[in-house]
Amino acid sequence: LSAEETAKRLKAALVLTRISGLDAEKSVKSLTAAINGFTSAGLSANQIVNKMVAVDTAFAVSAQDLAEAFRAGSTAEDAGVSFDQLLGLVTAVEQKTARGGAVIGNAFKSIFTRLQRGTTIDELQELGVAIDATMSGVQKLQALSMAIENIADPTVVSKIKELAGGVFQINVVSAALKDIGSETSIFAKATQTGVQATNQAFEKNAALSESMAH
């Protein structure tokens, strides 16, 4: 990195540290993971921190959990999931399960990997899910949610969830599918909040400095 880019990233990491409660080393690692995970999006460290803080402010999820969840970044990008969409998914699952960000991030890593396998897609199609390999990760989750709504047999529903997440990620899969199919979807609202984020982190940091000065 150039000296200028290093300075910018360090400043963004320090703001994230102050707002989220993460230590400085974890903030740097989380930011780096988010930037490297979504290389095609070309997001700056400042944009990433502003998006996390905007969602932290609007929903019952912490910037710390959002930051820690971004270890799933590169897997999500490979699955055609945008930075803002991953923010939305993590927020929805966090509010419904109260799992930690690192656990949710790892769960989505596993889910997106499974849903990209041809064998998993074939098995889901056999169970009546309108899913195919050309879909993005979010479109696949939406297809699963729609299929589950129309299936009366709980055994088939369980099988679909297990195929998507494996035995250990059932809670995260269930929470994500329940939310993504809801008319009051937290995923949709949190994704939009991320898209519309401007300068929330640096404004919040300035406000903190102001209140401490008094």
Side-chain angles (χ1 to χ4, degrees):
L1 294 175
S2 67
E4 186 187 3
E5 181 55 34
T6 302
K8 280 182 187 171
R9 208 174 280 193
L10 185 59
K11 186 181 178 186
L14 289 172
V15 170
L16 181 60
T17 295
R18 191 177 190 192
I19 291 169
S20 71
L22 280 169
D23 65 40
E25 187 184 353
K26 280 187 179 171
S27 287
V28 170
K29 280 183 177 173
S30 296
L31 268 182
T32 304
I35 290 166
N36 293 346
F38 289 89
T39 45
S40 67
L43 293 169
S44 69
N46 285 2
Q47 285 174 304
I48 286 168
V49 175
N50 283 321
K51 285 174 184 290
M52 287 180 180
V53 172
V55 173
D56 163 298
T57 305
F59 298 89
V61 61
S62 70
Q64 178 171 349
D65 279 319
L66 293 172
E68 289 180 342
F70 271 80
R71 60 184 66 188
S74 58
T75 314
E77 187 177 61
D78 288 346
V81 177
S82 73
F83 183 91
D84 296 308
Q85 286 175 327
L86 186 56
L87 268 183
L89 287 169
V90 172
T91 301
V93 171
E94 165 74 19
Q95 286 204 183
K96 287 182 183 296
T97 67
R99 293 286 182 94
V103 172
I104 294 169
N106 278 333
F108 276 117
K109 212 170 173 179
S110 172
I111 291 161
F112 293 138
T113 301
R114 292 175 78 91
L115 290 177
Q116 281 180 288
R117 289 182 195 146
T119 50
T120 305
I121 290 170
D122 290 343
E123 286 182 67
L124 286 167
Q125 286 172 341
E126 283 169 23
L127 292 170
V129 182
I131 189 171
D132 66 66
T134 65
M135 291 175 164
S136 71
V138 168
Q139 288 171 329
K140 285 173 181 170
L141 290 173
Q142 287 166 334
L144 293 174
S145 178
M146 283 176 68
I148 283 170
E149 276 181 36
N150 299 317
I151 293 170
D153 186 343
T155 311
V156 177
V157 170
S158 295
K159 180 72 176 161
I160 288 171
K161 289 178 181 177
E162 198 174 312
L163 279 168
V167 180
F168 300 110
Q169 317 300 352
I170 289 285
N171 284 351
V172 171
V173 169
S174 295
L177 297 185
K178 193 171 182 183
D179 180 82
I180 219 166
S182 159
E183 285 181 18
T184 54
S185 168
I186 295 165
F187 158 72
K189 290 175 187 167
T191 299
Q192 195 56 29
T193 300
V195 170
Q196 294 171 341
T198 51
N199 200 35
Q200 281 83 347
F202 294 85
E203 286 167 4
K204 193 167 183 177
N205 188 50
L208 276 172
S209 297
E210 181 87 10
S211 62
M212 286 171 78
H214 296 304

